[in-house]
Amino acid sequence: MAEVFTGSFTQQEPIPEEAVAAALEVMRSGRLHRYNTAPGEEAEAAALERDFAALTGARYCLALASGGYGLTCALRACGVTPGDPVLTNAFTLAPVPGAIAGAGAVPVFVEVTEALVIDLDDLAAKIEASGARVLMLSHMRGHICDMEALMALCDRAGVTVVEDCAHTMGASWAGVPSGRFGRVGCFSTQTYKHVNSGEGGLLISDDAELMARATMFSGSYMFYDRHPAGPAAEIFDTIRYETPNCSGRMDNLRAAILRPQLARLAGQCAAWNARYGAVEAGLADTPGLHLIQRPAAEGFVGSSIQFLMPGLGTKAIETLIAACRDRGVELKWFGAAEPAAFTSRHDSWRYAPPQCLPRTDRVLAGLLDMRLPLTFSLEDCALIARIVRGEATRIARAAA
Ligand SMILES: *Cc1c(COP(=O)(O)O)cnc(C)c1O
């Protein structure tokens, strides 16, 4: 009998008990709004911002309603105005081009490489051709490009880097936390990311004026002095009159749930990497299957794993996905013609001008992806790898 996996690829761990207790305390107080505090009390949202600034080494942090909201907020705080071109990776998730469109700007897609990171040669060419002054760099699926080379290129060209760190909370490049290279780093605390408050976002930056604009934009009702990890009050002198209030704050309930999770983040990242390692080892040397080599400088968090099957045609990939699904293993395919669930690609974002991205299209045609939730044991991961390996080997042989 062929082995079957019975776990769920979308089941995250329960919220830790200390986070549940903190949430109950907020609910019993009734003070869920971040600016609704008792005399002398620090709001959970403010404390979360302090915690995350300390964790990443950033001067400032701002907590928001969602990761996608944070991306739009960061772009607007960088001075992006309607009609501006904004560069981004052609392989990313829908909220990234969506955030660019949300700022009224126009996405300009940059090719990605077989290592799933932004193609620096194409980036240089597109900076030149588009005249864009901002890059929203997406560390899609946790793959981090050569950050020294990228920053050197963008600094030379006068391009501001906004980092989309939805998949890199807890990750680093050459020991520097992800989100600390660009002018601003944007994180998501949505259920499928590295900490879970259902929805939520965090911005980090050392730039006082940018963070003052972001704070006003998020809807601070002139309570900007209630942000212990925010810029000094005098920075808001003129910004507070010039920045629209587009409410997107985080509430104290979600902040309370997140703080104990941040304290456990390093251990969680190690647990993800153990699972990633188990799947990677189980898939090594599978015929026709290319694992993504991770550079030594990349301190990644293996909350998902990707592999390429470049030799297989559309039919064979569909057969592989169906065969794995029948044995309980959920593969996502970013090459599918129609967007399904969390997968979509540049040509399904039709609000953006159509763009020609042959290298990315070639990569996506053979790109498969699996989530690795922490509810999987190491034995589960070994079983999943055996199933994918077995089916991939069978299908590659039949196709040859
Ligand atoms: C999840 C995600 C975001 C932010 O999404 P929200 O659901 O709005 O928190 C941004 N970029 C990428 C690549 C993502 O996967």
Side-chain angles (χ1 to χ4, degrees), residues 97 100-101 105-109 346-355:
I100 295 171
V106 181
V108 177
F109 298 116
H346 64 89
D347 51 5
S348 47
W349 306 322
R350 294 184 195 160
Y351 51 84
Q355 294 165 54

PDB file of all heavy atoms in Angstrom, residues 97 100-101 105-109 346-355:
ATOM      1  N   PRO A  97       1.829  43.681  -5.507  1.00  0.00           N
ATOM      2  CA  PRO A  97       1.375  44.614  -6.540  1.00  0.00           C
ATOM      3  C   PRO A  97       0.094  45.328  -6.114  1.00  0.00           C
ATOM      4  O   PRO A  97      -0.129  46.486  -6.494  1.00  0.00           O
ATOM      5  CB  PRO A  97       1.131  43.712  -7.757  1.00  0.00           C
ATOM      6  CG  PRO A  97       0.990  42.334  -7.216  1.00  0.00           C
ATOM      7  CD  PRO A  97       1.864  42.289  -5.990  1.00  0.00           C
ATOM      8  N   ILE A 100       0.987  48.416  -4.242  1.00  0.00           N
ATOM      9  CA  ILE A 100       1.483  49.455  -5.159  1.00  0.00           C
ATOM     10  C   ILE A 100       0.278  50.149  -5.809  1.00  0.00           C
ATOM     11  O   ILE A 100       0.191  51.382  -5.829  1.00  0.00           O
ATOM     12  CB  ILE A 100       2.435  48.840  -6.210  1.00  0.00           C
ATOM     13  CG1 ILE A 100       3.694  48.286  -5.517  1.00  0.00           C
ATOM     14  CG2 ILE A 100       2.805  49.875  -7.282  1.00  0.00           C
ATOM     15  CD1 ILE A 100       4.606  47.466  -6.415  1.00  0.00           C
ATOM     16  N   ALA A 101      -0.672  49.335  -6.270  1.00  0.00           N
ATOM     17  CA  ALA A 101      -1.893  49.905  -6.858  1.00  0.00           C
ATOM     18  C   ALA A 101      -2.671  50.705  -5.815  1.00  0.00           C
ATOM     19  O   ALA A 101      -3.259  51.741  -6.136  1.00  0.00           O
ATOM     20  CB  ALA A 101      -2.763  48.785  -7.442  1.00  0.00           C
ATOM     21  N   ALA A 105       0.004  53.876  -7.529  1.00  0.00           N
ATOM     22  CA  ALA A 105       1.224  53.778  -8.333  1.00  0.00           C
ATOM     23  C   ALA A 105       1.108  52.618  -9.333  1.00  0.00           C
ATOM     24  O   ALA A 105       0.124  51.876  -9.333  1.00  0.00           O
ATOM     25  CB  ALA A 105       2.429  53.595  -7.422  1.00  0.00           C
ATOM     26  N   VAL A 106       2.136  52.492 -10.181  1.00  0.00           N
ATOM     27  CA  VAL A 106       2.086  51.527 -11.281  1.00  0.00           C
ATOM     28  C   VAL A 106       3.185  50.474 -11.086  1.00  0.00           C
ATOM     29  O   VAL A 106       4.374  50.819 -11.076  1.00  0.00           O
ATOM     30  CB  VAL A 106       2.303  52.253 -12.633  1.00  0.00           C
ATOM     31  CG1 VAL A 106       2.229  51.273 -13.795  1.00  0.00           C
ATOM     32  CG2 VAL A 106       1.285  53.379 -12.797  1.00  0.00           C
ATOM     33  N   PRO A 107       2.816  49.198 -10.909  1.00  0.00           N
ATOM     34  CA  PRO A 107       3.843  48.164 -10.714  1.00  0.00           C
ATOM     35  C   PRO A 107       4.692  47.956 -11.971  1.00  0.00           C
ATOM     36  O   PRO A 107       4.151  47.844 -13.074  1.00  0.00           O
ATOM     37  CB  PRO A 107       3.044  46.890 -10.412  1.00  0.00           C
ATOM     38  CG  PRO A 107       1.633  47.310 -10.159  1.00  0.00           C
ATOM     39  CD  PRO A 107       1.450  48.633 -10.843  1.00  0.00           C
ATOM     40  N   VAL A 108       6.012  47.920 -11.766  1.00  0.00           N
ATOM     41  CA  VAL A 108       6.951  47.573 -12.840  1.00  0.00           C
ATOM     42  C   VAL A 108       7.651  46.301 -12.375  1.00  0.00           C
ATOM     43  O   VAL A 108       8.375  46.315 -11.375  1.00  0.00           O
ATOM     44  CB  VAL A 108       7.989  48.694 -13.075  1.00  0.00           C
ATOM     45  CG1 VAL A 108       8.993  48.279 -14.138  1.00  0.00           C
ATOM     46  CG2 VAL A 108       7.288  49.999 -13.459  1.00  0.00           C
ATOM     47  N   PHE A 109       7.403  45.194 -13.068  1.00  0.00           N
ATOM     48  CA  PHE A 109       7.904  43.902 -12.596  1.00  0.00           C
ATOM     49  C   PHE A 109       9.335  43.653 -13.053  1.00  0.00           C
ATOM     50  O   PHE A 109       9.689  43.933 -14.199  1.00  0.00           O
ATOM     51  CB  PHE A 109       6.985  42.779 -13.069  1.00  0.00           C
ATOM     52  CG  PHE A 109       5.589  42.907 -12.530  1.00  0.00           C
ATOM     53  CD1 PHE A 109       4.511  43.114 -13.378  1.00  0.00           C
ATOM     54  CD2 PHE A 109       5.361  42.861 -11.161  1.00  0.00           C
ATOM     55  CE1 PHE A 109       3.220  43.244 -12.878  1.00  0.00           C
ATOM     56  CE2 PHE A 109       4.077  43.001 -10.644  1.00  0.00           C
ATOM     57  CZ  PHE A 109       3.000  43.196 -11.513  1.00  0.00           C
ATOM     58  N   HIS A 346       2.147  37.318 -12.388  1.00  0.00           N
ATOM     59  CA  HIS A 346       2.040  38.704 -12.865  1.00  0.00           C
ATOM     60  C   HIS A 346       0.958  38.903 -13.914  1.00  0.00           C
ATOM     61  O   HIS A 346       0.307  39.943 -13.939  1.00  0.00           O
ATOM     62  CB  HIS A 346       3.408  39.201 -13.359  1.00  0.00           C
ATOM     63  CG  HIS A 346       3.934  38.449 -14.547  1.00  0.00           C
ATOM     64  ND1 HIS A 346       3.642  38.833 -15.824  1.00  0.00           N
ATOM     65  CD2 HIS A 346       4.700  37.340 -14.644  1.00  0.00           C
ATOM     66  CE1 HIS A 346       4.230  37.993 -16.665  1.00  0.00           C
ATOM     67  NE2 HIS A 346       4.873  37.070 -15.971  1.00  0.00           N
ATOM     68  N   ASP A 347       0.718  37.883 -14.770  1.00  0.00           N
ATOM     69  CA  ASP A 347      -0.269  38.133 -15.829  1.00  0.00           C
ATOM     70  C   ASP A 347      -1.713  38.031 -15.339  1.00  0.00           C
ATOM     71  O   ASP A 347      -2.648  38.315 -16.095  1.00  0.00           O
ATOM     72  CB  ASP A 347      -0.014  37.247 -17.064  1.00  0.00           C
ATOM     73  CG  ASP A 347       0.120  35.784 -16.706  1.00  0.00           C
ATOM     74  OD1 ASP A 347      -0.072  35.433 -15.523  1.00  0.00           O
ATOM     75  OD2 ASP A 347       0.426  34.973 -17.596  1.00  0.00           O
ATOM     76  N   SER A 348      -1.915  37.643 -14.060  1.00  0.00           N
ATOM     77  CA  SER A 348      -3.291  37.694 -13.546  1.00  0.00           C
ATOM     78  C   SER A 348      -3.557  39.000 -12.788  1.00  0.00           C
ATOM     79  O   SER A 348      -4.659  39.205 -12.286  1.00  0.00           O
ATOM     80  CB  SER A 348      -3.603  36.477 -12.680  1.00  0.00           C
ATOM     81  OG  SER A 348      -2.588  36.222 -11.770  1.00  0.00           O
ATOM     82  N   TRP A 349      -2.547  39.896 -12.712  1.00  0.00           N
ATOM     83  CA  TRP A 349      -2.755  41.216 -12.095  1.00  0.00           C
ATOM     84  C   TRP A 349      -2.983  42.209 -13.234  1.00  0.00           C
ATOM     85  O   TRP A 349      -2.106  42.985 -13.597  1.00  0.00           O
ATOM     86  CB  TRP A 349      -1.552  41.579 -11.220  1.00  0.00           C
ATOM     87  CG  TRP A 349      -1.274  40.500 -10.210  1.00  0.00           C
ATOM     88  CD1 TRP A 349      -2.201  39.759  -9.529  1.00  0.00           C
ATOM     89  CD2 TRP A 349       0.009  40.023  -9.758  1.00  0.00           C
ATOM     90  NE1 TRP A 349      -1.579  38.851  -8.688  1.00  0.00           N
ATOM     91  CE2 TRP A 349      -0.224  38.998  -8.811  1.00  0.00           C
ATOM     92  CE3 TRP A 349       1.330  40.376 -10.050  1.00  0.00           C
ATOM     93  CZ2 TRP A 349       0.810  38.317  -8.166  1.00  0.00           C
ATOM     94  CZ3 TRP A 349       2.356  39.702  -9.413  1.00  0.00           C
ATOM     95  CH2 TRP A 349       2.095  38.683  -8.480  1.00  0.00           C
ATOM     96  N   ARG A 350      -4.191  42.157 -13.797  1.00  0.00           N
ATOM     97  CA  ARG A 350      -4.433  42.870 -15.058  1.00  0.00           C
ATOM     98  C   ARG A 350      -4.646  44.361 -14.878  1.00  0.00           C
ATOM     99  O   ARG A 350      -4.771  45.085 -15.861  1.00  0.00           O
ATOM    100  CB  ARG A 350      -5.612  42.234 -15.801  1.00  0.00           C
ATOM    101  CG  ARG A 350      -5.232  40.828 -16.241  1.00  0.00           C
ATOM    102  CD  ARG A 350      -6.298  40.159 -17.078  1.00  0.00           C
ATOM    103  NE  ARG A 350      -5.994  38.736 -17.135  1.00  0.00           N
ATOM    104  CZ  ARG A 350      -6.879  37.805 -17.442  1.00  0.00           C
ATOM    105  NH1 ARG A 350      -8.135  38.139 -17.720  1.00  0.00           N
ATOM    106  NH2 ARG A 350      -6.525  36.540 -17.464  1.00  0.00           N
ATOM    107  N   TYR A 351      -4.690  44.843 -13.642  1.00  0.00           N
ATOM    108  CA  TYR A 351      -4.734  46.291 -13.408  1.00  0.00           C
ATOM    109  C   TYR A 351      -3.368  46.916 -13.683  1.00  0.00           C
ATOM    110  O   TYR A 351      -3.251  48.125 -13.833  1.00  0.00           O
ATOM    111  CB  TYR A 351      -5.196  46.597 -11.967  1.00  0.00           C
ATOM    112  CG  TYR A 351      -4.419  45.834 -10.914  1.00  0.00           C
ATOM    113  CD1 TYR A 351      -3.196  46.297 -10.447  1.00  0.00           C
ATOM    114  CD2 TYR A 351      -4.904  44.632 -10.415  1.00  0.00           C
ATOM    115  CE1 TYR A 351      -2.475  45.578  -9.502  1.00  0.00           C
ATOM    116  CE2 TYR A 351      -4.187  43.918  -9.473  1.00  0.00           C
ATOM    117  CZ  TYR A 351      -2.977  44.395  -9.023  1.00  0.00           C
ATOM    118  OH  TYR A 351      -2.254  43.680  -8.095  1.00  0.00           O
ATOM    119  N   ALA A 352      -2.320  46.062 -13.732  1.00  0.00           N
ATOM    120  CA  ALA A 352      -0.975  46.551 -14.076  1.00  0.00           C
ATOM    121  C   ALA A 352      -0.789  46.421 -15.578  1.00  0.00           C
ATOM    122  O   ALA A 352      -1.338  45.504 -16.188  1.00  0.00           O
ATOM    123  CB  ALA A 352       0.079  45.737 -13.336  1.00  0.00           C
ATOM    124  N   PRO A 353      -0.002  47.324 -16.182  1.00  0.00           N
ATOM    125  CA  PRO A 353       0.231  47.180 -17.619  1.00  0.00           C
ATOM    126  C   PRO A 353       0.885  45.835 -17.918  1.00  0.00           C
ATOM    127  O   PRO A 353       1.741  45.386 -17.144  1.00  0.00           O
ATOM    128  CB  PRO A 353       1.196  48.333 -17.946  1.00  0.00           C
ATOM    129  CG  PRO A 353       1.416  49.103 -16.693  1.00  0.00           C
ATOM    130  CD  PRO A 353       0.696  48.449 -15.575  1.00  0.00           C
ATOM    131  N   PRO A 354       0.476  45.145 -18.989  1.00  0.00           N
ATOM    132  CA  PRO A 354       1.073  43.845 -19.319  1.00  0.00           C
ATOM    133  C   PRO A 354       2.569  43.984 -19.567  1.00  0.00           C
ATOM    134  O   PRO A 354       3.009  44.972 -20.165  1.00  0.00           O
ATOM    135  CB  PRO A 354       0.338  43.408 -20.592  1.00  0.00           C
ATOM    136  CG  PRO A 354      -0.487  44.555 -21.031  1.00  0.00           C
ATOM    137  CD  PRO A 354      -0.530  45.584 -19.954  1.00  0.00           C
ATOM    138  N   GLN A 355       3.345  43.019 -19.066  1.00  0.00           N
ATOM    139  CA  GLN A 355       4.799  43.113 -19.172  1.00  0.00           C
ATOM    140  C   GLN A 355       5.369  41.769 -19.598  1.00  0.00           C
ATOM    141  O   GLN A 355       4.807  40.724 -19.275  1.00  0.00           O
ATOM    142  CB  GLN A 355       5.377  43.572 -17.824  1.00  0.00           C
ATOM    143  CG  GLN A 355       4.947  44.997 -17.514  1.00  0.00           C
ATOM    144  CD  GLN A 355       5.161  45.434 -16.082  1.00  0.00           C
ATOM    145  OE1 GLN A 355       6.259  45.340 -15.560  1.00  0.00           O
ATOM    146  NE2 GLN A 355       4.108  45.919 -15.445  1.00  0.00           N
TER     147      GLN A 355
END
